[in-house]
Amino acid sequence: LAQEGLASWQGFIFPPVDVVFGGTPQVLTVSPRERIELAKTVLLSPDIKVTEMEALENKIFVEEELAALVVGIGGLATYPSIVSAQNGLLHGTKTTIHEWLHQFLFFRPLGRNYWRTPEMTTLNETAVTLASEELADRVYEAITGEKPSRPLEKEEEEGAFSFGREMRQTRLRVEELLALGMVVEAERYMEQRRQLFLNRGYHIRKLNQAYFAFFSVYADNPASISPIHDELVRFRDTTGSVGDFIRQIARFGRYPEFKFRLEGN
C-alpha cells in the first residue's frame, strides 16, 4: 500500500491494516418479487444452519411476499475486518485488501456515498474488487515468489457450457418476464435454471430475485447486467498505477460525476 502511494504524508497507513481470520457472517438479502432490487440486508450468525436459512426465507416469502436469500460472504469491513480463513492465501489476501479499501474509502467521497444510490454501491464494490485483485497478486508473489494462477472457465469447444454466459442469459430472461408482470413464471424459470446449473456442477441453493439483487452489487459477476465493470476497466486504463486508480476513483461522490469524467469532459 505504501509503494502505491496510499500512505499519509507522515508515512503511516490509515486506517492501519487490521484483520481477524475466522467465521464470517451470513447475510439475509431481501428483494421485491416483482423486480430485482436490493431492499434490505441483515447480518446473521455464521453458525446458522441450512434448515434455519430456508425456514427464514420461506417465512419472508409467505408472510411478506418478498424474495429472500441467506448467502455467505468472504469478508466484512468492520474494524478490524473479518475475513474467512477457509479460502487459501491468495483469496484471503484479496479479501483482506478488499475490506481495507472499503475502510480507506470511508473517509473519501466514494465510500461516504456508498449507500446513496444502487449505482454508487456497485461503483464502490466493483472498483474495490478490481484494485484488490491487482494488489493481491503482488502481495502473493512477494510472499511466495510465485505468480498466482486462477483457473479459467473452460470454453475451448464451441457450444461448451459457460456458467458466466448462461447466468447472464438467465438474468436477462428474468428481467423480461418481470417487466411483463409474469412473476410466477419468472420464479418457475429461475428454478429450472437452478437445476441446470446443479446438473453442471454449480451448487446454487436458491436462485431468486434476492440472489440477483445481492450479486448485482458486483458488476463483474455474471448475475449482474450493470455496465459499471466495463466502465471501470476503461477508467483504469486511463490511470497509471493501481494506487493512482484508487486515489482518482475515491474522489467521486456521485455516479454521474464518474460518468462525466469517463466520457472525457
Side-chain angles (χ1 to χ4, degrees), residues 33-36 167-183 185-191 193 207-209 212 225:
R33 292 176 61 200
E34 65 274 11
R35 63 185 181 278
I36 294 169
M167 182 57 77
R168 184 64 57 83
Q169 290 177 357
T170 304
R171 172 67 188 271
L172 291 171
R173 180 56 178 158
V174 170
E175 291 283 353
E176 291 174 357
L177 291 169
L178 292 179
L180 294 170
M182 302 172 67
V183 176
E185 290 82 355
E187 291 170 343
R188 186 181 300 120
Y189 170 73
M190 284 186 279
E191 177 56 23
R193 297 293 285 179
L207 185 59
N208 62 3
Q209 297 89 331
F212 286 116
I225 55 174

Side-chain angles (χ1 to χ4, degrees), residues 29-227:
T29 303
V30 178
S31 169
R33 292 176 61 200
E34 65 274 11
R35 63 185 181 278
I36 294 169
E37 178 183 294
L38 189 62
K40 181 187 296 186
T41 58
V42 179
L43 293 177
L44 303 175
S45 166
D47 301 321
I48 185 172
K49 297 178 176 62
V50 174
T51 53
E52 295 172 323
M53 296 179 190
E54 294 180 345
L56 178 59
E57 293 162 353
N58 292 335
K59 181 180 177 66
I60 292 171
F61 182 85
V62 172
E63 296 184 3
E64 301 184 40
E65 296 189 356
L66 297 169
L69 177 71
V70 178
V71 61
I73 57 174
L76 186 66
T78 51
Y79 197 81
S81 299
I82 304 172
V83 172
S84 172
Q86 300 179 355
N87 295 318
L89 177 61
L90 179 60
H91 191 273
T93 301
K94 177 190 168 185
T95 307
T96 298
I97 297 169
H98 184 109
E99 304 309 340
W100 180 85
L101 285 169
H102 280 309
Q103 296 163 351
F104 177 82
L105 292 171
F106 177 79
F107 299 95
R108 290 155 179 84
L110 183 70
R112 285 199 299 269
N113 289 281
Y114 182 101
W115 292 112
R116 176 170 290 274
T117 63
E119 291 81 11
M120 283 302 296
T121 304
T122 300
L123 189 66
N124 268 270
E125 288 292 352
T126 311
V128 164
T129 296
L130 287 175
S132 63
E133 286 178 348
E134 284 195 54
L135 289 168
D137 285 354
R138 289 175 52 187
V139 173
Y140 181 89
E141 187 173 358
I143 292 173
T144 67
E146 300 175 357
K147 291 186 178 296
S149 60
R150 291 185 175 87
L152 298 176
E153 192 172 15
K154 295 182 179 179
E155 295 184 43
E156 293 87 358
E157 299 180 12
E158 185 177 353
F161 184 85
S162 163
F163 175 82
R165 182 179 63 243
E166 295 294 334
M167 182 57 77
R168 184 64 57 83
Q169 290 177 357
T170 304
R171 172 67 188 271
L172 291 171
R173 180 56 178 158
V174 170
E175 291 283 353
E176 291 174 357
L177 291 169
L178 292 179
L180 294 170
M182 302 172 67
V183 176
V184 175
E185 290 82 355
E187 291 170 343
R188 186 181 300 120
Y189 170 73
M190 284 186 279
E191 177 56 23
Q192 293 170 352
R193 297 293 285 179
R194 188 184 75 86
Q195 291 296 332
L196 170 67
F197 291 124
L198 283 176
N199 292 337
R200 294 287 183 167
Y202 296 94
H203 179 71
I204 299 176
R205 186 177 59 81
K206 179 170 289 188
L207 185 59
N208 62 3
Q209 297 89 331
Y211 177 98
F212 286 116
F214 179 81
F215 288 106
S216 290
V217 171
Y218 308 91
D220 60 324
N221 191 290
S224 172
I225 55 174
S226 170

Side-chain angles (χ1 to χ4, degrees), residues 9-24:
W9 64 270
Q10 298 117 324
F12 297 108
I13 297 295
F14 182 83
V17 179
D18 197 359
V19 58
V20 172
F21 293 97
T24 51

Side-chain angles (χ1 to χ4, degrees), residues 218-236:
Y218 308 91
D220 60 324
N221 191 290
S224 172
I225 55 174
S226 170
I228 288 176
H229 175 260
D230 291 343
E231 292 170 351
L232 279 167
V233 170
R234 286 168 49 204
F235 184 78
R236 174 68 182 93

